[in-house]
mmCIF file with all atom_site columns, all heavy atoms in Angstrom:
data_model
loop_
_atom_site.group_PDB
_atom_site.id
_atom_site.type_symbol
_atom_site.label_atom_id
_atom_site.label_alt_id
_atom_site.label_comp_id
_atom_site.label_asym_id
_atom_site.label_entity_id
_atom_site.label_seq_id
_atom_site.pdbx_PDB_ins_code
_atom_site.Cartn_x
_atom_site.Cartn_y
_atom_site.Cartn_z
_atom_site.occupancy
_atom_site.B_iso_or_equiv
_atom_site.pdbx_formal_charge
_atom_site.auth_seq_id
_atom_site.auth_comp_id
_atom_site.auth_asym_id
_atom_site.auth_atom_id
_atom_site.pdbx_PDB_model_num
ATOM 1   N N   . LYS A 1 1  ? 6.281  -19.938 43.915 1.00 84.00 ? 205 LYS A N   1
ATOM 2   C CA  . LYS A 1 1  ? 4.924  -20.081 44.018 1.00 84.00 ? 205 LYS A CA  1
ATOM 3   C C   . LYS A 1 1  ? 4.376  -21.204 43.180 1.00 84.00 ? 205 LYS A C   1
ATOM 4   O O   . LYS A 1 1  ? 3.523  -21.979 43.611 1.00 84.00 ? 205 LYS A O   1
ATOM 5   C CB  . LYS A 1 1  ? 4.112  -18.847 43.771 1.00 84.00 ? 205 LYS A CB  1
ATOM 6   C CG  . LYS A 1 1  ? 4.254  -17.723 44.886 1.00 84.00 ? 205 LYS A CG  1
ATOM 7   C CD  . LYS A 1 1  ? 3.353  -16.490 44.420 1.00 84.00 ? 205 LYS A CD  1
ATOM 8   C CE  . LYS A 1 1  ? 3.502  -15.490 45.583 1.00 84.00 ? 205 LYS A CE  1
ATOM 9   N NZ  . LYS A 1 1  ? 2.658  -14.254 45.221 1.00 84.00 ? 205 LYS A NZ  1
ATOM 10  N N   . LEU A 1 2  ? 4.921  -21.195 41.926 1.00 85.00 ? 206 LEU A N   1
ATOM 11  C CA  . LEU A 1 2  ? 4.540  -22.220 40.922 1.00 85.00 ? 206 LEU A CA  1
ATOM 12  C C   . LEU A 1 2  ? 4.976  -23.705 41.385 1.00 85.00 ? 206 LEU A C   1
ATOM 13  O O   . LEU A 1 2  ? 4.211  -24.717 41.086 1.00 85.00 ? 206 LEU A O   1
ATOM 14  C CB  . LEU A 1 2  ? 5.108  -21.939 39.674 1.00 85.00 ? 206 LEU A CB  1
ATOM 15  C CG  . LEU A 1 2  ? 4.511  -20.728 38.853 1.00 85.00 ? 206 LEU A CG  1
ATOM 16  C CD1 . LEU A 1 2  ? 5.427  -20.373 37.666 1.00 85.00 ? 206 LEU A CD1 1
ATOM 17  C CD2 . LEU A 1 2  ? 3.042  -21.037 38.426 1.00 85.00 ? 206 LEU A CD2 1
ATOM 18  N N   . THR A 1 3  ? 6.069  -23.762 42.114 1.00 79.00 ? 207 THR A N   1
ATOM 19  C CA  . THR A 1 3  ? 6.653  -25.005 42.445 1.00 79.00 ? 207 THR A CA  1
ATOM 20  C C   . THR A 1 3  ? 6.376  -25.449 43.915 1.00 79.00 ? 207 THR A C   1
ATOM 21  O O   . THR A 1 3  ? 7.055  -26.339 44.414 1.00 79.00 ? 207 THR A O   1
ATOM 22  C CB  . THR A 1 3  ? 8.087  -25.105 42.204 1.00 79.00 ? 207 THR A CB  1
ATOM 23  O OG1 . THR A 1 3  ? 8.779  -24.129 42.854 1.00 79.00 ? 207 THR A OG1 1
ATOM 24  C CG2 . THR A 1 3  ? 8.326  -24.939 40.604 1.00 79.00 ? 207 THR A CG2 1
ATOM 25  N N   . ALA A 1 4  ? 5.503  -24.676 44.652 1.00 79.00 ? 208 ALA A N   1
ATOM 26  C CA  . ALA A 1 4  ? 5.269  -24.920 46.000 1.00 79.00 ? 208 ALA A CA  1
ATOM 27  C C   . ALA A 1 4  ? 4.824  -26.341 46.208 1.00 79.00 ? 208 ALA A C   1
ATOM 28  O O   . ALA A 1 4  ? 3.906  -26.718 45.420 1.00 79.00 ? 208 ALA A O   1
ATOM 29  C CB  . ALA A 1 4  ? 4.375  -23.915 46.610 1.00 79.00 ? 208 ALA A CB  1
ATOM 30  N N   . VAL A 1 5  ? 5.178  -27.054 47.180 1.00 85.00 ? 209 VAL A N   1
ATOM 31  C CA  . VAL A 1 5  ? 4.728  -28.361 47.474 1.00 85.00 ? 209 VAL A CA  1
ATOM 32  C C   . VAL A 1 5  ? 4.060  -28.472 48.884 1.00 85.00 ? 209 VAL A C   1
ATOM 33  O O   . VAL A 1 5  ? 4.715  -28.148 49.925 1.00 85.00 ? 209 VAL A O   1
ATOM 34  C CB  . VAL A 1 5  ? 5.948  -29.368 47.472 1.00 85.00 ? 209 VAL A CB  1
ATOM 35  C CG1 . VAL A 1 5  ? 5.374  -30.812 47.684 1.00 85.00 ? 209 VAL A CG1 1
ATOM 36  C CG2 . VAL A 1 5  ? 6.609  -29.259 46.149 1.00 85.00 ? 209 VAL A CG2 1
ATOM 37  N N   . ALA A 1 6  ? 2.829  -28.809 48.894 1.00 88.00 ? 210 ALA A N   1
ATOM 38  C CA  . ALA A 1 6  ? 2.138  -28.929 50.152 1.00 88.00 ? 210 ALA A CA  1
ATOM 39  C C   . ALA A 1 6  ? 2.601  -30.285 50.773 1.00 88.00 ? 210 ALA A C   1
ATOM 40  O O   . ALA A 1 6  ? 2.546  -31.292 50.046 1.00 88.00 ? 210 ALA A O   1
ATOM 41  C CB  . ALA A 1 6  ? 0.507  -28.951 49.956 1.00 88.00 ? 210 ALA A CB  1
ATOM 42  N N   . PHE A 1 7  ? 2.977  -30.234 51.952 1.00 93.00 ? 211 PHE A N   1
ATOM 43  C CA  . PHE A 1 7  ? 3.621  -31.456 52.605 1.00 93.00 ? 211 PHE A CA  1
ATOM 44  C C   . PHE A 1 7  ? 2.616  -32.658 52.621 1.00 93.00 ? 211 PHE A C   1
ATOM 45  O O   . PHE A 1 7  ? 3.038  -33.757 52.273 1.00 93.00 ? 211 PHE A O   1
ATOM 46  C CB  . PHE A 1 7  ? 3.951  -31.135 54.100 1.00 93.00 ? 211 PHE A CB  1
ATOM 47  C CG  . PHE A 1 7  ? 4.944  -32.149 54.706 1.00 93.00 ? 211 PHE A CG  1
ATOM 48  C CD1 . PHE A 1 7  ? 6.239  -31.966 54.529 1.00 93.00 ? 211 PHE A CD1 1
ATOM 49  C CD2 . PHE A 1 7  ? 4.486  -33.277 55.319 1.00 93.00 ? 211 PHE A CD2 1
ATOM 50  C CE1 . PHE A 1 7  ? 7.202  -32.915 55.096 1.00 93.00 ? 211 PHE A CE1 1
ATOM 51  C CE2 . PHE A 1 7  ? 5.379  -34.146 55.872 1.00 93.00 ? 211 PHE A CE2 1
ATOM 52  C CZ  . PHE A 1 7  ? 6.776  -34.061 55.762 1.00 93.00 ? 211 PHE A CZ  1
ATOM 53  N N   . ASP A 1 8  ? 1.371  -32.418 52.720 1.00 90.00 ? 212 ASP A N   1
ATOM 54  C CA  . ASP A 1 8  ? 0.364  -33.519 52.798 1.00 90.00 ? 212 ASP A CA  1
ATOM 55  C C   . ASP A 1 8  ? 0.135  -34.134 51.403 1.00 90.00 ? 212 ASP A C   1
ATOM 56  O O   . ASP A 1 8  ? -0.584 -35.064 51.211 1.00 90.00 ? 212 ASP A O   1
ATOM 57  C CB  . ASP A 1 8  ? -0.944 -33.105 53.379 1.00 90.00 ? 212 ASP A CB  1
ATOM 58  C CG  . ASP A 1 8  ? -1.584 -31.913 52.778 1.00 90.00 ? 212 ASP A CG  1
ATOM 59  O OD1 . ASP A 1 8  ? -0.982 -31.483 51.715 1.00 90.00 ? 212 ASP A OD1 1
ATOM 60  O OD2 . ASP A 1 8  ? -2.725 -31.538 53.237 1.00 90.00 ? 212 ASP A OD2 1
ATOM 61  N N   . LYS A 1 9  ? 0.742  -33.402 50.328 1.00 89.00 ? 213 LYS A N   1
ATOM 62  C CA  . LYS A 1 9  ? 0.658  -33.943 48.973 1.00 89.00 ? 213 LYS A CA  1
ATOM 63  C C   . LYS A 1 9  ? 1.822  -34.652 48.511 1.00 89.00 ? 213 LYS A C   1
ATOM 64  O O   . LYS A 1 9  ? 1.888  -35.247 47.430 1.00 89.00 ? 213 LYS A O   1
ATOM 65  C CB  . LYS A 1 9  ? 0.424  -32.754 48.081 1.00 89.00 ? 213 LYS A CB  1
ATOM 66  C CG  . LYS A 1 9  ? -0.861 -31.883 48.274 1.00 89.00 ? 213 LYS A CG  1
ATOM 67  C CD  . LYS A 1 9  ? -2.091 -32.763 48.055 1.00 89.00 ? 213 LYS A CD  1
ATOM 68  C CE  . LYS A 1 9  ? -3.335 -31.877 48.358 1.00 89.00 ? 213 LYS A CE  1
ATOM 69  N NZ  . LYS A 1 9  ? -4.657 -32.662 48.256 1.00 89.00 ? 213 LYS A NZ  1
ATOM 70  N N   . LEU A 1 10 ? 2.815  -34.781 49.466 1.00 95.00 ? 214 LEU A N   1
ATOM 71  C CA  . LEU A 1 10 ? 4.045  -35.488 49.068 1.00 95.00 ? 214 LEU A CA  1
ATOM 72  C C   . LEU A 1 10 ? 3.767  -37.020 48.970 1.00 95.00 ? 214 LEU A C   1
ATOM 73  O O   . LEU A 1 10 ? 3.026  -37.506 49.881 1.00 95.00 ? 214 LEU A O   1
ATOM 74  C CB  . LEU A 1 10 ? 5.204  -35.299 50.074 1.00 95.00 ? 214 LEU A CB  1
ATOM 75  C CG  . LEU A 1 10 ? 5.885  -33.967 50.043 1.00 95.00 ? 214 LEU A CG  1
ATOM 76  C CD1 . LEU A 1 10 ? 6.722  -33.812 51.375 1.00 95.00 ? 214 LEU A CD1 1
ATOM 77  C CD2 . LEU A 1 10 ? 6.810  -33.838 48.866 1.00 95.00 ? 214 LEU A CD2 1
ATOM 78  N N   . PRO A 1 11 ? 4.277  -37.733 47.937 1.00 96.00 ? 215 PRO A N   1
ATOM 79  C CA  . PRO A 1 11 ? 4.078  -39.151 47.880 1.00 96.00 ? 215 PRO A CA  1
ATOM 80  C C   . PRO A 1 11 ? 4.974  -39.944 48.937 1.00 96.00 ? 215 PRO A C   1
ATOM 81  O O   . PRO A 1 11 ? 5.985  -40.550 48.543 1.00 96.00 ? 215 PRO A O   1
ATOM 82  C CB  . PRO A 1 11 ? 4.444  -39.476 46.464 1.00 96.00 ? 215 PRO A CB  1
ATOM 83  C CG  . PRO A 1 11 ? 5.447  -38.428 46.132 1.00 96.00 ? 215 PRO A CG  1
ATOM 84  C CD  . PRO A 1 11 ? 5.172  -37.203 46.888 1.00 96.00 ? 215 PRO A CD  1
ATOM 85  N N   . LEU A 1 12 ? 4.565  -39.837 50.237 1.00 97.00 ? 216 LEU A N   1
ATOM 86  C CA  . LEU A 1 12 ? 5.473  -40.442 51.223 1.00 97.00 ? 216 LEU A CA  1
ATOM 87  C C   . LEU A 1 12 ? 5.597  -41.888 51.147 1.00 97.00 ? 216 LEU A C   1
ATOM 88  O O   . LEU A 1 12 ? 6.712  -42.398 51.600 1.00 97.00 ? 216 LEU A O   1
ATOM 89  C CB  . LEU A 1 12 ? 4.760  -40.118 52.661 1.00 97.00 ? 216 LEU A CB  1
ATOM 90  C CG  . LEU A 1 12 ? 4.589  -38.556 52.933 1.00 97.00 ? 216 LEU A CG  1
ATOM 91  C CD1 . LEU A 1 12 ? 4.040  -38.379 54.298 1.00 97.00 ? 216 LEU A CD1 1
ATOM 92  C CD2 . LEU A 1 12 ? 5.944  -37.840 52.782 1.00 97.00 ? 216 LEU A CD2 1
ATOM 93  N N   . LYS A 1 13 ? 4.793  -42.581 50.423 1.00 97.00 ? 217 LYS A N   1
ATOM 94  C CA  . LYS A 1 13 ? 5.016  -44.045 50.178 1.00 97.00 ? 217 LYS A CA  1
ATOM 95  C C   . LYS A 1 13 ? 6.323  -44.335 49.369 1.00 97.00 ? 217 LYS A C   1
ATOM 96  O O   . LYS A 1 13 ? 6.790  -45.402 49.425 1.00 97.00 ? 217 LYS A O   1
ATOM 97  C CB  . LYS A 1 13 ? 3.801  -44.658 49.515 1.00 97.00 ? 217 LYS A CB  1
ATOM 98  C CG  . LYS A 1 13 ? 3.683  -44.251 48.086 1.00 97.00 ? 217 LYS A CG  1
ATOM 99  C CD  . LYS A 1 13 ? 2.423  -44.835 47.451 1.00 97.00 ? 217 LYS A CD  1
ATOM 100 C CE  . LYS A 1 13 ? 2.288  -44.565 45.992 1.00 97.00 ? 217 LYS A CE  1
ATOM 101 N NZ  . LYS A 1 13 ? 2.278  -43.049 45.662 1.00 97.00 ? 217 LYS A NZ  1
ATOM 102 N N   . ASP A 1 14 ? 6.787  -43.359 48.747 1.00 98.00 ? 218 ASP A N   1
ATOM 103 C CA  . ASP A 1 14 ? 7.984  -43.455 47.892 1.00 98.00 ? 218 ASP A CA  1
ATOM 104 C C   . ASP A 1 14 ? 9.232  -43.064 48.555 1.00 98.00 ? 218 ASP A C   1
ATOM 105 O O   . ASP A 1 14 ? 10.299 -42.888 47.915 1.00 98.00 ? 218 ASP A O   1
ATOM 106 C CB  . ASP A 1 14 ? 7.757  -42.710 46.628 1.00 98.00 ? 218 ASP A CB  1
ATOM 107 C CG  . ASP A 1 14 ? 6.721  -43.317 45.623 1.00 98.00 ? 218 ASP A CG  1
ATOM 108 O OD1 . ASP A 1 14 ? 6.466  -44.561 45.833 1.00 98.00 ? 218 ASP A OD1 1
ATOM 109 O OD2 . ASP A 1 14 ? 6.159  -42.524 44.854 1.00 98.00 ? 218 ASP A OD2 1
ATOM 110 N N   . ALA A 1 15 ? 9.105  -42.779 49.883 1.00 98.00 ? 219 ALA A N   1
ATOM 111 C CA  . ALA A 1 15 ? 10.257 -42.262 50.689 1.00 98.00 ? 219 ALA A CA  1
ATOM 112 C C   . ALA A 1 15 ? 10.659 -43.310 51.706 1.00 98.00 ? 219 ALA A C   1
ATOM 113 O O   . ALA A 1 15 ? 9.929  -44.237 52.130 1.00 98.00 ? 219 ALA A O   1
ATOM 114 C CB  . ALA A 1 15 ? 9.992  -41.053 51.332 1.00 98.00 ? 219 ALA A CB  1
ATOM 115 N N   . ILE A 1 16 ? 11.965 -43.260 52.141 1.00 98.00 ? 220 ILE A N   1
ATOM 116 C CA  . ILE A 1 16 ? 12.409 -44.059 53.151 1.00 98.00 ? 220 ILE A CA  1
ATOM 117 C C   . ILE A 1 16 ? 12.133 -43.314 54.435 1.00 98.00 ? 220 ILE A C   1
ATOM 118 O O   . ILE A 1 16 ? 12.516 -42.197 54.714 1.00 98.00 ? 220 ILE A O   1
ATOM 119 C CB  . ILE A 1 16 ? 13.917 -44.348 53.041 1.00 98.00 ? 220 ILE A CB  1
ATOM 120 C CG1 . ILE A 1 16 ? 14.267 -45.106 51.844 1.00 98.00 ? 220 ILE A CG1 1
ATOM 121 C CG2 . ILE A 1 16 ? 14.443 -45.019 54.254 1.00 98.00 ? 220 ILE A CG2 1
ATOM 122 C CD1 . ILE A 1 16 ? 15.725 -45.206 51.492 1.00 98.00 ? 220 ILE A CD1 1
ATOM 123 N N   . LYS A 1 17 ? 11.340 -43.927 55.335 1.00 98.00 ? 221 LYS A N   1
ATOM 124 C CA  . LYS A 1 17 ? 10.945 -43.323 56.626 1.00 98.00 ? 221 LYS A CA  1
ATOM 125 C C   . LYS A 1 17 ? 12.012 -43.559 57.782 1.00 98.00 ? 221 LYS A C   1
ATOM 126 O O   . LYS A 1 17 ? 12.273 -44.753 58.049 1.00 98.00 ? 221 LYS A O   1
ATOM 127 C CB  . LYS A 1 17 ? 9.569  -43.832 57.007 1.00 98.00 ? 221 LYS A CB  1
ATOM 128 C CG  . LYS A 1 17 ? 8.984  -43.131 58.219 1.00 98.00 ? 221 LYS A CG  1
ATOM 129 C CD  . LYS A 1 17 ? 7.635  -43.677 58.583 1.00 98.00 ? 221 LYS A CD  1
ATOM 130 C CE  . LYS A 1 17 ? 7.022  -43.028 59.793 1.00 98.00 ? 221 LYS A CE  1
ATOM 131 N NZ  . LYS A 1 17 ? 5.649  -43.510 60.041 1.00 98.00 ? 221 LYS A NZ  1
ATOM 132 N N   . ILE A 1 18 ? 12.545 -42.474 58.275 1.00 97.00 ? 222 ILE A N   1
ATOM 133 C CA  . ILE A 1 18 ? 13.554 -42.580 59.366 1.00 97.00 ? 222 ILE A CA  1
ATOM 134 C C   . ILE A 1 18 ? 13.047 -41.850 60.516 1.00 97.00 ? 222 ILE A C   1
ATOM 135 O O   . ILE A 1 18 ? 12.692 -40.655 60.496 1.00 97.00 ? 222 ILE A O   1
ATOM 136 C CB  . ILE A 1 18 ? 14.892 -42.056 58.897 1.00 97.00 ? 222 ILE A CB  1
ATOM 137 C CG1 . ILE A 1 18 ? 15.388 -42.748 57.635 1.00 97.00 ? 222 ILE A CG1 1
ATOM 138 C CG2 . ILE A 1 18 ? 16.037 -42.096 59.976 1.00 97.00 ? 222 ILE A CG2 1
ATOM 139 C CD1 . ILE A 1 18 ? 16.547 -42.017 56.925 1.00 97.00 ? 222 ILE A CD1 1
ATOM 140 N N   . VAL A 1 19 ? 12.828 -42.536 61.667 1.00 97.00 ? 223 VAL A N   1
ATOM 141 C CA  . VAL A 1 19 ? 12.229 -41.984 62.916 1.00 97.00 ? 223 VAL A CA  1
ATOM 142 C C   . VAL A 1 19 ? 13.343 -41.845 63.969 1.00 97.00 ? 223 VAL A C   1
ATOM 143 O O   . VAL A 1 19 ? 14.000 -42.856 64.258 1.00 97.00 ? 223 VAL A O   1
ATOM 144 C CB  . VAL A 1 19 ? 11.105 -42.784 63.403 1.00 97.00 ? 223 VAL A CB  1
ATOM 145 C CG1 . VAL A 1 19 ? 10.493 -42.173 64.622 1.00 97.00 ? 223 VAL A CG1 1
ATOM 146 C CG2 . VAL A 1 19 ? 9.997  -42.947 62.290 1.00 97.00 ? 223 VAL A CG2 1
ATOM 147 N N   . ARG A 1 20 ? 13.515 -40.653 64.529 1.00 96.00 ? 224 ARG A N   1
ATOM 148 C CA  . ARG A 1 20 ? 14.427 -40.477 65.566 1.00 96.00 ? 224 ARG A CA  1
ATOM 149 C C   . ARG A 1 20 ? 13.633 -39.887 66.815 1.00 96.00 ? 224 ARG A C   1
ATOM 150 O O   . ARG A 1 20 ? 12.857 -38.952 66.709 1.00 96.00 ? 224 ARG A O   1
ATOM 151 C CB  . ARG A 1 20 ? 15.480 -39.455 65.206 1.00 96.00 ? 224 ARG A CB  1
ATOM 152 C CG  . ARG A 1 20 ? 16.407 -39.937 64.055 1.00 96.00 ? 224 ARG A CG  1
ATOM 153 C CD  . ARG A 1 20 ? 17.632 -39.167 63.830 1.00 96.00 ? 224 ARG A CD  1
ATOM 154 N NE  . ARG A 1 20 ? 18.459 -39.625 62.827 1.00 96.00 ? 224 ARG A NE  1
ATOM 155 C CZ  . ARG A 1 20 ? 18.522 -38.978 61.603 1.00 96.00 ? 224 ARG A CZ  1
ATOM 156 N NH1 . ARG A 1 20 ? 17.860 -37.919 61.330 1.00 96.00 ? 224 ARG A NH1 1
ATOM 157 N NH2 . ARG A 1 20 ? 19.329 -39.421 60.610 1.00 96.00 ? 224 ARG A NH2 1
ATOM 158 N N   . GLY A 1 21 ? 13.957 -40.500 67.995 1.00 96.00 ? 225 GLY A N   1
ATOM 159 C CA  . GLY A 1 21 ? 13.230 -40.134 69.162 1.00 96.00 ? 225 GLY A CA  1
ATOM 160 C C   . GLY A 1 21 ? 11.727 -40.319 69.056 1.00 96.00 ? 225 GLY A C   1
ATOM 161 O O   . GLY A 1 21 ? 11.314 -41.396 68.522 1.00 96.00 ? 225 GLY A O   1
ATOM 162 N N   . ASN A 1 22 ? 10.872 -39.325 69.509 1.00 97.00 ? 226 ASN A N   1
ATOM 163 C CA  . ASN A 1 22 ? 9.427  -39.540 69.409 1.00 97.00 ? 226 ASN A CA  1
ATOM 164 C C   . ASN A 1 22 ? 8.842  -39.247 67.987 1.00 97.00 ? 226 ASN A C   1
ATOM 165 O O   . ASN A 1 22 ? 7.747  -39.502 67.757 1.00 97.00 ? 226 ASN A O   1
ATOM 166 C CB  . ASN A 1 22 ? 8.811  -38.614 70.382 1.00 97.00 ? 226 ASN A CB  1
ATOM 167 C CG  . ASN A 1 22 ? 9.076  -37.132 70.197 1.00 97.00 ? 226 ASN A CG  1
ATOM 168 O OD1 . ASN A 1 22 ? 9.129  -36.694 69.065 1.00 97.00 ? 226 ASN A OD1 1
ATOM 169 N ND2 . ASN A 1 22 ? 9.102  -36.387 71.277 1.00 97.00 ? 226 ASN A ND2 1
ATOM 170 N N   . GLY A 1 23 ? 9.773  -38.751 67.099 1.00 96.00 ? 227 GLY A N   1
ATOM 171 C CA  . GLY A 1 23 ? 9.346  -38.569 65.690 1.00 96.00 ? 227 GLY A CA  1
ATOM 172 C C   . GLY A 1 23 ? 8.209  -37.609 65.512 1.00 96.00 ? 227 GLY A C   1
ATOM 173 O O   . GLY A 1 23 ? 7.572  -37.586 64.423 1.00 96.00 ? 227 GLY A O   1
ATOM 174 N N   . LYS A 1 24 ? 7.918  -36.758 66.410 1.00 96.00 ? 228 LYS A N   1
ATOM 175 C CA  . LYS A 1 24 ? 6.749  -35.837 66.297 1.00 96.00 ? 228 LYS A CA  1
ATOM 176 C C   . LYS A 1 24 ? 6.877  -34.812 65.143 1.00 96.00 ? 228 LYS A C   1
ATOM 177 O O   . LYS A 1 24 ? 5.954  -34.456 64.477 1.00 96.00 ? 228 LYS A O   1
ATOM 178 C CB  . LYS A 1 24 ? 6.478  -35.163 67.646 1.00 96.00 ? 228 LYS A CB  1
ATOM 179 C CG  . LYS A 1 24 ? 5.876  -36.084 68.664 1.00 96.00 ? 228 LYS A CG  1
ATOM 180 C CD  . LYS A 1 24 ? 5.488  -35.264 69.959 1.00 96.00 ? 228 LYS A CD  1
ATOM 181 C CE  . LYS A 1 24 ? 4.930  -36.150 70.988 1.00 96.00 ? 228 LYS A CE  1
ATOM 182 N NZ  . LYS A 1 24 ? 4.557  -35.401 72.205 1.00 96.00 ? 228 LYS A NZ  1
#
């Protein structure tokens, strides 16, 4: 609970984005 990470709070700009198929 203490370390739960909301996906929309992830710093996505610091990640490598890899899209496969429609990427949905």
Side-chain angles (χ1 to χ4, degrees):
K205 288 183 179 180
L206 289 170
T207 58
V209 181
F211 197 87
D212 59 0
K213 300 299 182 183
L214 285 168
L216 300 182
K217 68 181 186 303
D218 292 337
I220 297 173
K221 184 178 179 180
I222 302 167
V223 181
R224 298 194 180 103
N226 61 31
K228 287 184 177 181

